[in-house]
Amino acid sequence: MATLAQTSSNLLLAAFFLYFLATVFFAVSITGGRFKNKEGDEKNRTGTYGYISSVLAFVSAIGYFVTRWIAAGHAPVSNMFEYTTFLGIMMGLGFVIIYPIYKSRVLGLFTMPIVMLIIAYASVFPTEIQPLIPALQTGWLQIHVITTALGQGILAVGFAAGLVYLIRVTDFKAKSKKVTALELVLFGLLCFVGHVLLNMGFGAAGYEKEFNYTNEYGEQAQMEYQLPAIIGPNEAELASETGSNPLLLAPDFIVADDLNAVIWAFIAGTALYWLLRLVLRKPIGGALQPLVKGVNPQSADELSYRAIAIGFPIFTLGGLIFAMIWAQIAWTRFWGWDPKEVWALITFLFYAAYLHLRLSRGWHGEKSAWLCVIGFAIIMFNLIFVNLVIAGLHSYAM
Amino acid sequence: MKKVICECGHENPYGTELCESCGKPLKDQGKGLVNMRYEGAARRSQTYSRTIVDKIWNFFSSVKVGVWIIVLTLIASSLGTVFPQEMFIPPGERASVYYQQEYGTAGQLFYQLGFHNLYSSWWYMLLVAGLATSLIIASIDRFFPLYRALKNQRVTRHPGFMKRQRLYHTERAGEDAHDRLKKAGDALREKRYRVREENGNLLAEKGRFSRWGPYVNHIGLIIFLIGATLRLFPEMYLDDHIWVREGQTVEVKGTGGEYSVRNEEFLIEFYDDEDERFINNPQQASAVAKTYQTTVTLFQQTSETIGSGVEPDEVEQFPIRVNNPLTFDGFSLYQVDFKLNELSEFTFAVEPEEGTDDELYSETIDVNLYDPETVYEMDNGFTVEILEYFPNYVFENNEPGTLNRIPDNPRFIVEITPPGEEEGEMSMVGIQVNNPLSEESDYRLRMVDFDTNHVSALAVRRDRTIPILIAGGIIFMIGLVQGAYWHHRRIWIQERDGELLLAGHANKNWNALKKDFSWLSEKTGLPEPADQAEKEETDGTRDEGVKSNHGDAGSDKQ
């Protein structure tokens, strides 16, 4: 069994590198010169190779999923690592579905790194196979989570297309609110990169500090920090032999180590952002713009809309309807205003508003693209913040 | 109101923008793309605005208002998750102090604004009601005109309509135009278009049913909301719970005595630390529960036999687990809570106050802590009478009492009467308590054993709204898929006065329509129409945004 779990991790690693390979292929196919054969026909096949890589990556990722399922005895969608990884895989699948329709290599260049980022982010969480508590032991949970992740993955492709659109049409030469906002989005993505790098770095160095603290029930408890403590838990005392005390202490209702990680992510993101700006000597969006100059804005706009239109019904089915069926069986009621449920409803309402604005009020182009970005932010907020910070019934899904 | 008669002879309702039959623009003769939203049909909300009813109708039929209601609901919903709702705060805490204590001033504000019960507040309900009203009115306002327009549309279209479509092309018709038109018809049939021909004009249409998707999903939503509202009536929705001890039979609340369950066994299972799946896990597997299960026997009594002492019929035995409720006759029993090792029985022996007497110990009495008897006669002649029983003893206001009927801290006041005596001796006994109450006492009760039981809490639910909710949910999903995964496309080809006209319209997914045109061009040699919206955009005449009329051409809400 242990070896099967090992195989599973290896397959995920393979998938990660295949996504990387796909990114490289798409990058080459866009930036590289045009390869023409003797007859003068375009022979630039790298885009196709990129797509093939992304398909192979998906196959390998499904291999991870299936082997881990067999090893664990339950579908690997029951904690943060498993769910977030699966969301990344589903975004990859969304791309695999949508690419043949629009053949947009730029979409590949933007989607693949985001998929990699989501999978890398997932691996910061504990990756061990965990036993499943009774409330999670049902086929409906698996159906609910798998469908939701597929829906969110496709919606995330819509975000990637929206981002492509915005980078394509924004004028980076002059300072404007649009530039600032777009840079903020890219900064947000860099925070995730920073978070992953920091955790990998401190993890490799074996950093670990333990604090004794008083939890929200007024009981003594221990908390382990994988990063140096800027914010410590409520009434914290250092239990490890070495290490410094935190600068500040959090109130008891806040999960302090997560808040600490968020602060570190912002610090690392800021550092990365300014480093890149120094190197590039222009806004990052401006540096990316040459990559997307060959994109027809209207196609990017329609593509992002198609992704949302395809993803929305799937998300609704998984995130609301199947979720209600599961809640009815596991928790005796189909709806209970748990924060996670509320945020699934908010996601639904948001995309419903998007569709109405787009279809009948003519919100195309930039406005529509911004909505795609905000929608993705809501999905990530629900995944990360609501799971980790706002404790609810779903918080065992850590 | 007077009808609008088009030059083609069709009578259109007052307020029509594009003739239902031939598509001739009736209102504006201007340039630019024609507004294809709702086929230019007359909508009540766009036509009348005099009476108060008109004004209310117009308000709720507006998508702008609808989106605002959605956004307000969205923001309100998110506010409720800032701090936990009252139902999630620890049991026994008072909301009036809890929020301030835990979350400071912000918590206090949260409480004072009533956000701790946000989702059942009148204004949240009002938002949802507004949403429902908007759904109904906006759907009616659009569906019927759209239905009429699509039903009445003619094959031959007015050139003014053709020219102002987003996909449009015209050229001199060659000799073979008639042939090509025929070929086009066959080709489009092959592509599963429904093709109609009339005087050398052609209309090919595909996926019209996707236009009804939004209305179908709105109907589903309304049914769902009706179902959810019905839960407020007690007859429709029952939410209760029962505690059942092992071996005990308890009436299922809400069934009027018809059903009862006996708890055969409560079982809690943990994962195994040796389980090799979890060996790498830092958290101990044995700390995680694997199963909570109550095996129950369900009994049923017919209404005639209730209370008549007749033994109820055994219906079935069932293991109730989390995620595996027992369902019968519309009721469901769920495993929701448990209590391990609750005291159930004390075993007493009588012993002399001084010295020991082994013989006495062989004679014992078992006192059931749920339902003790009043008098226990022992074989050795002693009589033990229970004068007072406090299952959960407290001493309050200088008086002994009990908190509740749960034997968490049982105390007895007993009178022990030795054989042959008239007067007994009183004493109080309990866990590690044995106080004589009489002045003289020779004997006392001694606890020699005790027994415990597991207790299981089962939620009792009956939700008669579920079928309505399921119906609403299914209809909603059908409508959503219908509207999102199919697209309405139309292709018009005309030969008129020696000119060949091609036009196309899609309610969304123009990409697919363009692909169909290029496929058609390959098959028949017909020209491919240009995208006039794209042309406008490159000319810089198209402005992204709400005010743009041109943008609307492509934004035809079905």
Side-chain angles (χ1 to χ4, degrees), chain B residues 4 25 69 89 119 126 253 330 368 400 434 472 536:
Chain B
V4 185
I69 299 176
I89 70 174
Y119 305 111
L126 212 61
K253 284 184 189 165
N368 184 327
N434 209 333
E536 279 178 34

mmCIF file with all atom_site columns, all heavy atoms in Angstrom, chain B residues 4 25 69 89 119 126 253 330 368 400 434 472 536:
data_model
loop_
_atom_site.group_PDB
_atom_site.id
_atom_site.type_symbol
_atom_site.label_atom_id
_atom_site.label_alt_id
_atom_site.label_comp_id
_atom_site.label_asym_id
_atom_site.label_entity_id
_atom_site.label_seq_id
_atom_site.pdbx_PDB_ins_code
_atom_site.Cartn_x
_atom_site.Cartn_y
_atom_site.Cartn_z
_atom_site.occupancy
_atom_site.B_iso_or_equiv
_atom_site.pdbx_formal_charge
_atom_site.auth_seq_id
_atom_site.auth_comp_id
_atom_site.auth_asym_id
_atom_site.auth_atom_id
_atom_site.pdbx_PDB_model_num
ATOM 1  N N   . VAL B 1 4   ? -49.399 47.755 -34.953 1.00 0.00 ? 4   VAL B N   1
ATOM 2  C CA  . VAL B 1 4   ? -48.482 48.359 -35.915 1.00 0.00 ? 4   VAL B CA  1
ATOM 3  C C   . VAL B 1 4   ? -48.464 47.453 -37.142 1.00 0.00 ? 4   VAL B C   1
ATOM 4  O O   . VAL B 1 4   ? -48.120 46.275 -37.032 1.00 0.00 ? 4   VAL B O   1
ATOM 5  C CB  . VAL B 1 4   ? -47.055 48.448 -35.336 1.00 0.00 ? 4   VAL B CB  1
ATOM 6  C CG1 . VAL B 1 4   ? -46.152 49.187 -36.298 1.00 0.00 ? 4   VAL B CG1 1
ATOM 7  C CG2 . VAL B 1 4   ? -47.083 49.132 -33.983 1.00 0.00 ? 4   VAL B CG2 1
ATOM 8  N N   . PRO B 1 25  ? -37.092 46.920 -39.466 1.00 0.00 ? 25  PRO B N   1
ATOM 9  C CA  . PRO B 1 25  ? -37.038 47.816 -38.301 1.00 0.00 ? 25  PRO B CA  1
ATOM 10 C C   . PRO B 1 25  ? -38.183 48.808 -38.374 1.00 0.00 ? 25  PRO B C   1
ATOM 11 O O   . PRO B 1 25  ? -38.313 49.535 -39.362 1.00 0.00 ? 25  PRO B O   1
ATOM 12 C CB  . PRO B 1 25  ? -35.685 48.520 -38.444 1.00 0.00 ? 25  PRO B CB  1
ATOM 13 C CG  . PRO B 1 25  ? -34.892 47.667 -39.385 1.00 0.00 ? 25  PRO B CG  1
ATOM 14 C CD  . PRO B 1 25  ? -35.881 47.030 -40.304 1.00 0.00 ? 25  PRO B CD  1
ATOM 15 N N   . ILE B 1 69  ? -30.501 43.288 -7.137  1.00 0.00 ? 69  ILE B N   1
ATOM 16 C CA  . ILE B 1 69  ? -30.998 42.441 -6.035  1.00 0.00 ? 69  ILE B CA  1
ATOM 17 C C   . ILE B 1 69  ? -30.031 41.282 -5.805  1.00 0.00 ? 69  ILE B C   1
ATOM 18 O O   . ILE B 1 69  ? -29.699 40.944 -4.666  1.00 0.00 ? 69  ILE B O   1
ATOM 19 C CB  . ILE B 1 69  ? -32.431 41.931 -6.324  1.00 0.00 ? 69  ILE B CB  1
ATOM 20 C CG1 . ILE B 1 69  ? -33.389 43.107 -6.473  1.00 0.00 ? 69  ILE B CG1 1
ATOM 21 C CG2 . ILE B 1 69  ? -32.902 41.020 -5.196  1.00 0.00 ? 69  ILE B CG2 1
ATOM 22 C CD1 . ILE B 1 69  ? -34.797 42.713 -6.858  1.00 0.00 ? 69  ILE B CD1 1
ATOM 23 N N   . ILE B 1 89  ? -22.713 29.336 17.692  1.00 0.00 ? 89  ILE B N   1
ATOM 24 C CA  . ILE B 1 89  ? -21.944 29.669 18.893  1.00 0.00 ? 89  ILE B CA  1
ATOM 25 C C   . ILE B 1 89  ? -22.114 28.531 19.894  1.00 0.00 ? 89  ILE B C   1
ATOM 26 O O   . ILE B 1 89  ? -23.083 27.777 19.835  1.00 0.00 ? 89  ILE B O   1
ATOM 27 C CB  . ILE B 1 89  ? -22.318 31.050 19.498  1.00 0.00 ? 89  ILE B CB  1
ATOM 28 C CG1 . ILE B 1 89  ? -23.705 31.044 20.119  1.00 0.00 ? 89  ILE B CG1 1
ATOM 29 C CG2 . ILE B 1 89  ? -22.171 32.153 18.462  1.00 0.00 ? 89  ILE B CG2 1
ATOM 30 C CD1 . ILE B 1 89  ? -24.041 32.335 20.854  1.00 0.00 ? 89  ILE B CD1 1
ATOM 31 N N   . TYR B 1 119 ? -29.699 35.401 8.282   1.00 0.00 ? 119 TYR B N   1
ATOM 32 C CA  . TYR B 1 119 ? -30.408 34.700 7.198   1.00 0.00 ? 119 TYR B CA  1
ATOM 33 C C   . TYR B 1 119 ? -31.878 34.478 7.487   1.00 0.00 ? 119 TYR B C   1
ATOM 34 O O   . TYR B 1 119 ? -32.623 34.042 6.628   1.00 0.00 ? 119 TYR B O   1
ATOM 35 C CB  . TYR B 1 119 ? -29.700 33.385 6.876   1.00 0.00 ? 119 TYR B CB  1
ATOM 36 C CG  . TYR B 1 119 ? -28.249 33.625 6.554   1.00 0.00 ? 119 TYR B CG  1
ATOM 37 C CD1 . TYR B 1 119 ? -27.244 33.202 7.414   1.00 0.00 ? 119 TYR B CD1 1
ATOM 38 C CD2 . TYR B 1 119 ? -27.888 34.318 5.410   1.00 0.00 ? 119 TYR B CD2 1
ATOM 39 C CE1 . TYR B 1 119 ? -25.907 33.448 7.141   1.00 0.00 ? 119 TYR B CE1 1
ATOM 40 C CE2 . TYR B 1 119 ? -26.570 34.588 5.123   1.00 0.00 ? 119 TYR B CE2 1
ATOM 41 C CZ  . TYR B 1 119 ? -25.579 34.150 5.983   1.00 0.00 ? 119 TYR B CZ  1
ATOM 42 O OH  . TYR B 1 119 ? -24.269 34.418 5.707   1.00 0.00 ? 119 TYR B OH  1
ATOM 43 N N   . LEU B 1 126 ? -36.780 39.683 2.647   1.00 0.00 ? 126 LEU B N   1
ATOM 44 C CA  . LEU B 1 126 ? -37.319 40.629 1.688   1.00 0.00 ? 126 LEU B CA  1
ATOM 45 C C   . LEU B 1 126 ? -36.488 40.617 0.398   1.00 0.00 ? 126 LEU B C   1
ATOM 46 O O   . LEU B 1 126 ? -37.026 40.669 -0.702  1.00 0.00 ? 126 LEU B O   1
ATOM 47 C CB  . LEU B 1 126 ? -37.300 42.029 2.309   1.00 0.00 ? 126 LEU B CB  1
ATOM 48 C CG  . LEU B 1 126 ? -38.411 42.974 1.873   1.00 0.00 ? 126 LEU B CG  1
ATOM 49 C CD1 . LEU B 1 126 ? -39.765 42.423 2.230   1.00 0.00 ? 126 LEU B CD1 1
ATOM 50 C CD2 . LEU B 1 126 ? -38.210 44.349 2.494   1.00 0.00 ? 126 LEU B CD2 1
ATOM 51 N N   . LYS B 1 253 ? -40.902 11.177 18.184  1.00 0.00 ? 253 LYS B N   1
ATOM 52 C CA  . LYS B 1 253 ? -41.689 12.409 18.286  1.00 0.00 ? 253 LYS B CA  1
ATOM 53 C C   . LYS B 1 253 ? -42.304 12.765 16.940  1.00 0.00 ? 253 LYS B C   1
ATOM 54 O O   . LYS B 1 253 ? -41.683 12.574 15.902  1.00 0.00 ? 253 LYS B O   1
ATOM 55 C CB  . LYS B 1 253 ? -40.799 13.563 18.748  1.00 0.00 ? 253 LYS B CB  1
ATOM 56 C CG  . LYS B 1 253 ? -40.483 13.510 20.224  1.00 0.00 ? 253 LYS B CG  1
ATOM 57 C CD  . LYS B 1 253 ? -39.695 14.733 20.631  1.00 0.00 ? 253 LYS B CD  1
ATOM 58 C CE  . LYS B 1 253 ? -39.182 14.592 22.046  1.00 0.00 ? 253 LYS B CE  1
ATOM 59 N NZ  . LYS B 1 253 ? -38.132 15.583 22.333  1.00 0.00 ? 253 LYS B NZ  1
ATOM 60 N N   . GLY B 1 330 ? -42.058 8.692  5.548   1.00 0.00 ? 330 GLY B N   1
ATOM 61 C CA  . GLY B 1 330 ? -41.790 10.131 5.475   1.00 0.00 ? 330 GLY B CA  1
ATOM 62 C C   . GLY B 1 330 ? -40.906 10.657 6.586   1.00 0.00 ? 330 GLY B C   1
ATOM 63 O O   . GLY B 1 330 ? -40.451 11.789 6.545   1.00 0.00 ? 330 GLY B O   1
ATOM 64 N N   . ASN B 1 368 ? -32.702 0.397  39.265  1.00 0.00 ? 368 ASN B N   1
ATOM 65 C CA  . ASN B 1 368 ? -32.668 1.008  37.935  1.00 0.00 ? 368 ASN B CA  1
ATOM 66 C C   . ASN B 1 368 ? -32.699 2.524  38.095  1.00 0.00 ? 368 ASN B C   1
ATOM 67 O O   . ASN B 1 368 ? -33.601 3.073  38.712  1.00 0.00 ? 368 ASN B O   1
ATOM 68 C CB  . ASN B 1 368 ? -33.900 0.520  37.157  1.00 0.00 ? 368 ASN B CB  1
ATOM 69 C CG  . ASN B 1 368 ? -33.893 1.028  35.740  1.00 0.00 ? 368 ASN B CG  1
ATOM 70 O OD1 . ASN B 1 368 ? -33.425 2.122  35.460  1.00 0.00 ? 368 ASN B OD1 1
ATOM 71 N ND2 . ASN B 1 368 ? -34.399 0.210  34.844  1.00 0.00 ? 368 ASN B ND2 1
ATOM 72 N N   . PRO B 1 400 ? -32.509 19.906 48.742  1.00 0.00 ? 400 PRO B N   1
ATOM 73 C CA  . PRO B 1 400 ? -31.990 19.011 47.713  1.00 0.00 ? 400 PRO B CA  1
ATOM 74 C C   . PRO B 1 400 ? -32.934 19.017 46.512  1.00 0.00 ? 400 PRO B C   1
ATOM 75 O O   . PRO B 1 400 ? -34.142 19.175 46.669  1.00 0.00 ? 400 PRO B O   1
ATOM 76 C CB  . PRO B 1 400 ? -31.979 17.640 48.392  1.00 0.00 ? 400 PRO B CB  1
ATOM 77 C CG  . PRO B 1 400 ? -32.996 17.733 49.470  1.00 0.00 ? 400 PRO B CG  1
ATOM 78 C CD  . PRO B 1 400 ? -33.098 19.169 49.885  1.00 0.00 ? 400 PRO B CD  1
ATOM 79 N N   . ASN B 1 434 ? -22.710 8.661  51.692  1.00 0.00 ? 434 ASN B N   1
ATOM 80 C CA  . ASN B 1 434 ? -23.553 7.776  52.485  1.00 0.00 ? 434 ASN B CA  1
ATOM 81 C C   . ASN B 1 434 ? -23.791 8.444  53.831  1.00 0.00 ? 434 ASN B C   1
ATOM 82 O O   . ASN B 1 434 ? -23.064 8.256  54.785  1.00 0.00 ? 434 ASN B O   1
ATOM 83 C CB  . ASN B 1 434 ? -22.863 6.420  52.665  1.00 0.00 ? 434 ASN B CB  1
ATOM 84 C CG  . ASN B 1 434 ? -23.885 5.323  52.824  1.00 0.00 ? 434 ASN B CG  1
ATOM 85 O OD1 . ASN B 1 434 ? -25.002 5.585  53.286  1.00 0.00 ? 434 ASN B OD1 1
ATOM 86 N ND2 . ASN B 1 434 ? -23.519 4.109  52.434  1.00 0.00 ? 434 ASN B ND2 1
ATOM 87 N N   . GLY B 1 472 ? -37.970 21.310 -8.272  1.00 0.00 ? 472 GLY B N   1
ATOM 88 C CA  . GLY B 1 472 ? -37.415 22.625 -8.611  1.00 0.00 ? 472 GLY B CA  1
ATOM 89 C C   . GLY B 1 472 ? -35.974 22.513 -9.057  1.00 0.00 ? 472 GLY B C   1
ATOM 90 O O   . GLY B 1 472 ? -35.571 23.109 -10.068 1.00 0.00 ? 472 GLY B O   1
ATOM 91 N N   . GLU B 1 536 ? -16.471 47.328 -36.836 1.00 0.00 ? 536 GLU B N   1
ATOM 92 C CA  . GLU B 1 536 ? -16.717 48.558 -36.091 1.00 0.00 ? 536 GLU B CA  1
ATOM 93 C C   . GLU B 1 536 ? -15.670 48.754 -35.020 1.00 0.00 ? 536 GLU B C   1
ATOM 94 O O   . GLU B 1 536 ? -15.216 49.856 -34.770 1.00 0.00 ? 536 GLU B O   1
ATOM 95 C CB  . GLU B 1 536 ? -18.094 48.505 -35.428 1.00 0.00 ? 536 GLU B CB  1
ATOM 96 C CG  . GLU B 1 536 ? -19.209 48.847 -36.371 1.00 0.00 ? 536 GLU B CG  1
ATOM 97 C CD  . GLU B 1 536 ? -20.558 48.748 -35.689 1.00 0.00 ? 536 GLU B CD  1
ATOM 98 O OE1 . GLU B 1 536 ? -20.624 49.043 -34.495 1.00 0.00 ? 536 GLU B OE1 1
ATOM 99 O OE2 . GLU B 1 536 ? -21.523 48.358 -36.354 1.00 0.00 ? 536 GLU B OE2 1
#
